[in-house]
Amino acid sequence: MLRNEILMKMKKIVVFWFAFTLVNFALALLSLQVRDVWSLSSLVWFPAGLLQGIFCARAPRYWPVWLITGALISLTASQWYGRPVSVSLIFACINVVMLVVTGLIWQFFYGVMWAPKRARDIFNLTVLCSLSGIIERFVAKLVLHLLDYPTDISISLPIVVGSVLSYLPFTFFVISCITYEKSRTRDRRVYGLWLVALLVMAALFTSPPPETGKIQWQGVVLMFSFSLPMLLALSGDLLVLGSFLSLCTLGVVSATIFGFGPFSSPSMNLQQNVQMAAWYSTAFTLPALLCCSCLYNAINALHRRKARFLLMKMMLEQEQINCFRLSADGRLYWHHDSAWMRCGKAPVYWSQLMAWVHKEDRQKIEQLKSSVSLIPQMLKVRIADGKGEFNQVIIALIVHVGENAGFIEGTMREIADKK
């Protein structure tokens, strides 16, 4: 049994590694289609997003396999496009080192298998990757300059940040895949919306480039395209959103490189068009991720409150807690019509309730009623049990807001039962 589990696990790892190698190599070839003339680097580098996701989610003991694979793929793809071996080695080594450092910093603060699901976590990872990309580009340019390569030592922050942020969807998608929880239920409607949104984006970016001087339908669709990831973000599912953003980022850059879509403008060169596409994907990605993280936390909080509400409802139905609503005219409305103190009928008015309260506690409970606010207030009082004795009861009051503003919600729970 244990042997079969080990074999199945090894099989999954091999399949994942094989898929990673193919996808990484294809993304490397695509990224090398367009390069910055003055820095010898590609304007976008999607393989970094895959590796960064693995380094952020997996334990460091698993890194060597992916590190070596990523470096070899980078070298092979660079040689495929005729880069000098020294230049390929410089870019591959510096890129891998900075990705490893970024992963170590992330895991130092968040640990292993931690998916950034809060807005603060997503923002921190974005800033960390941006700083890592700036340092990587500066070090690469400095090394090439010291080796007498004809490069510009200055750094264009818009180009560097756009390049880094363009691969972030892949990072979040890989992290979501690795930390995927099988027990979580999925809504088929979300997948339907995902498919429709993907078809809309495919139609937009496979269309012929717009003609100059004319308003094309691509521009109108481009404006409304920002609403598509926001709609998917309403589900709070980072895995679905990450896959959609990754495919859209890949699609917009690929279409621009091959002369399709709204960013393929004949009045500008290919590098400028790709930079515009990269920044579009950034503006397309970050708001949706931040919105999805906020909604994810809100949905989880609502689920927790729903569970507590159902537990409270069950206790009310089992007559463990008496819950009432007090109107402005002093009338009491009891939930579930539960038996009052296990004998008789519950009082209808506040004055009748006060008749059950011990004389020494009536002033305290009246003060509690007069000082009620949006913050629940609690008091221990003694209430007659109908048998000549008094039992300790906890009463809590809070003012009602919304449709029934002015009403007071209250609960009573018996904590002592004298026999």
Side-chain angles (χ1 to χ4, degrees), residues 151-180:
T151 58
D152 184 8
I153 196 65
S154 62
I155 295 178
S156 175
L157 288 180
I159 295 177
V160 177
V161 175
S163 173
V164 172
L165 297 183
S166 63
Y167 70 65
L168 271 184
F170 297 92
T171 300
F172 286 104
F173 174 66
V174 171
I175 294 176
S176 300
C177 286
I178 295 175
T179 59
Y180 173 74

Coordinates of all heavy atoms in Angstrom, one line a residue, residues 151-180:
T151 N 25.9 48.0 -24.2 CA 24.6 48.1 -23.5 C 24.5 49.5 -22.8 O 25.5 50.1 -22.5 CB 24.5 47.0 -22.4 OG1 25.6 47.1 -21.5 CG2 24.5 45.6 -23.0
D152 N 23.3 49.9 -22.6 CA 23.0 51.1 -21.9 C 22.9 50.8 -20.4 O 22.1 50.0 -20.0 CB 21.7 51.7 -22.4 CG 21.4 53.1 -21.8 OD1 22.3 53.6 -21.1 OD2 20.3 53.6 -22.0
I153 N 23.7 51.4 -19.6 CA 23.7 51.1 -18.2 C 22.5 51.7 -17.4 O 22.2 51.2 -16.3 CB 25.1 51.7 -17.5 CG1 25.3 51.0 -16.2 CG2 25.0 53.2 -17.4 CD1 25.6 49.6 -16.2
S154 N 21.8 52.6 -18.0 CA 20.7 53.2 -17.3 C 19.5 52.2 -17.3 O 19.4 51.3 -18.2 CB 20.2 54.5 -18.0 OG 19.8 54.2 -19.4
I155 N 18.6 52.4 -16.4 CA 17.4 51.5 -16.2 C 16.2 52.3 -16.4 O 16.0 53.3 -15.8 CB 17.5 50.8 -14.8 CG1 18.7 49.9 -14.7 CG2 16.2 50.0 -14.6 CD1 18.8 49.2 -13.4
S156 N 15.3 51.7 -17.3 CA 14.0 52.3 -17.4 C 13.0 51.6 -16.5 O 12.6 50.4 -16.8 CB 13.5 52.2 -18.9 OG 12.2 52.7 -19.1
L157 N 12.6 52.3 -15.5 CA 11.7 51.7 -14.5 C 10.4 51.2 -15.1 O 9.9 50.1 -14.8 CB 11.4 52.6 -13.3 CG 12.6 52.8 -12.4 CD1 12.1 53.8 -11.3 CD2 13.0 51.5 -11.8
P158 N 9.7 52.0 -16.0 CA 8.5 51.4 -16.6 C 8.7 50.1 -17.4 O 7.8 49.2 -17.3 CB 8.0 52.6 -17.6 CG 8.7 53.8 -17.0 CD 10.0 53.4 -16.4
I159 N 9.8 50.0 -18.1 CA 10.0 48.8 -18.8 C 10.3 47.6 -17.9 O 9.7 46.5 -18.0 CB 11.2 49.0 -19.8 CG1 10.9 50.0 -20.8 CG2 11.6 47.6 -20.4 CD1 12.1 50.3 -21.8
V160 N 11.1 47.8 -16.8 CA 11.4 46.8 -15.9 C 10.2 46.3 -15.1 O 9.9 45.1 -15.0 CB 12.6 47.2 -15.0 CG1 12.9 46.1 -13.9 CG2 13.8 47.5 -15.8
V161 N 9.5 47.3 -14.5 CA 8.3 47.0 -13.7 C 7.3 46.3 -14.6 O 6.6 45.3 -14.2 CB 7.8 48.2 -13.0 CG1 6.5 47.9 -12.3 CG2 8.8 48.8 -12.1
G162 N 7.1 46.8 -15.8 CA 6.1 46.2 -16.7 C 6.5 44.8 -17.0 O 5.6 43.9 -17.1
S163 N 7.8 44.5 -17.2 CA 8.2 43.1 -17.5 C 8.0 42.2 -16.3 O 7.6 41.1 -16.5 CB 9.7 43.2 -17.8 OG 10.2 41.9 -18.0
V164 N 8.2 42.7 -15.1 CA 8.1 41.9 -13.9 C 6.6 41.6 -13.7 O 6.2 40.5 -13.4 CB 8.7 42.5 -12.7 CG1 8.4 41.8 -11.4 CG2 10.2 42.6 -12.9
L165 N 5.8 42.7 -13.7 CA 4.4 42.5 -13.4 C 3.6 41.7 -14.4 O 2.6 41.1 -14.1 CB 3.7 43.9 -13.2 CG 4.2 44.8 -12.1 CD1 3.5 46.1 -12.0 CD2 4.2 44.0 -10.8
S166 N 4.2 41.6 -15.6 CA 3.5 40.8 -16.7 C 3.5 39.3 -16.4 O 2.7 38.6 -16.9 CB 4.1 41.1 -18.0 OG 5.5 40.7 -18.1
Y167 N 4.5 38.9 -15.6 CA 4.6 37.4 -15.3 C 3.9 37.1 -13.9 O 3.9 35.9 -13.6 CB 6.0 36.9 -15.4 CG 7.0 37.3 -14.3 CD1 6.8 36.9 -13.0 CD2 8.1 38.0 -14.6 CE1 7.7 37.3 -12.0 CE2 9.0 38.4 -13.7 CZ 8.8 38.0 -12.3 OH 9.7 38.4 -11.4
L168 N 3.5 38.1 -13.2 CA 2.8 37.8 -11.9 C 1.6 36.9 -12.0 O 1.4 36.1 -11.1 CB 2.5 39.1 -11.2 CG 3.5 39.8 -10.4 CD1 3.0 41.0 -9.7 CD2 4.1 38.8 -9.3
P169 N 0.7 37.0 -13.0 CA -0.4 36.1 -13.1 C 0.1 34.6 -13.1 O -0.6 33.8 -12.4 CB -1.1 36.4 -14.4 CG -0.7 37.9 -14.6 CD 0.6 38.0 -14.1
F170 N 1.2 34.3 -13.7 CA 1.7 32.9 -13.7 C 2.2 32.5 -12.3 O 2.0 31.4 -11.9 CB 2.9 32.8 -14.7 CG 2.5 33.1 -16.1 CD1 2.6 34.3 -16.7 CD2 2.0 32.0 -16.9 CE1 2.2 34.6 -18.0 CE2 1.6 32.3 -18.3 CZ 1.7 33.5 -18.8
T171 N 2.7 33.5 -11.6 CA 3.2 33.2 -10.2 C 2.0 32.8 -9.3 O 2.0 31.8 -8.6 CB 4.0 34.4 -9.7 OG1 5.1 34.7 -10.5 CG2 4.4 34.1 -8.3
F172 N 1.0 33.7 -9.4 CA -0.2 33.4 -8.6 C -0.9 32.1 -9.0 O -1.4 31.4 -8.1 CB -1.2 34.6 -8.6 CG -0.7 35.8 -7.8 CD1 -0.1 36.9 -8.5 CD2 -0.8 35.8 -6.5 CE1 0.3 38.0 -7.8 CE2 -0.3 36.9 -5.7 CZ 0.2 38.0 -6.4
F173 N -0.9 31.8 -10.3 CA -1.6 30.6 -10.7 C -0.8 29.4 -10.2 O -1.4 28.4 -9.8 CB -1.6 30.6 -12.3 CG -2.2 29.3 -12.8 CD1 -3.5 28.9 -12.6 CD2 -1.3 28.5 -13.6 CE1 -4.0 27.7 -13.1 CE2 -1.8 27.3 -14.1 CZ -3.1 27.0 -13.9
V174 N 0.5 29.4 -10.3 CA 1.3 28.2 -9.9 C 1.1 28.0 -8.4 O 1.0 26.9 -7.9 CB 2.8 28.4 -10.3 CG1 3.6 27.4 -9.6 CG2 2.9 28.4 -11.8
I175 N 1.2 29.1 -7.6 CA 1.0 29.0 -6.2 C -0.4 28.5 -5.8 O -0.5 27.6 -4.9 CB 1.2 30.4 -5.5 CG1 2.7 30.9 -5.7 CG2 0.8 30.4 -4.0 CD1 2.9 32.3 -5.1
S176 N -1.4 28.9 -6.5 CA -2.8 28.4 -6.3 C -2.9 26.9 -6.7 O -3.6 26.2 -6.0 CB -3.8 29.2 -7.1 OG -3.7 30.6 -6.7
C177 N -2.2 26.5 -7.7 CA -2.2 25.1 -8.1 C -1.5 24.2 -7.0 O -2.0 23.2 -6.7 CB -1.5 24.9 -9.4 SG -2.5 25.5 -10.9
I178 N -0.4 24.7 -6.5 CA 0.3 23.9 -5.6 C -0.4 23.8 -4.2 O -0.4 22.8 -3.6 CB 1.8 24.5 -5.4 CG1 2.6 24.4 -6.7 CG2 2.5 23.8 -4.2 CD1 3.9 25.0 -6.6
T179 N -1.0 24.9 -3.8 CA -1.7 24.9 -2.6 C -3.2 24.7 -2.7 O -4.0 25.0 -1.8 CB -1.6 26.3 -1.9 OG1 -2.1 27.3 -2.8 CG2 -0.1 26.6 -1.6
Y180 N -3.6 24.0 -3.8 CA -5.0 23.8 -4.1 C -5.6 22.8 -3.0 O -5.0 21.8 -2.7 CB -5.1 23.1 -5.5 CG -6.5 22.7 -5.8 CD1 -7.5 23.6 -6.1 CD2 -6.8 21.3 -5.9 CE1 -8.8 23.1 -6.5 CE2 -8.1 20.9 -6.2 CZ -9.1 21.8 -6.5 OH -10.3 21.3 -6.8

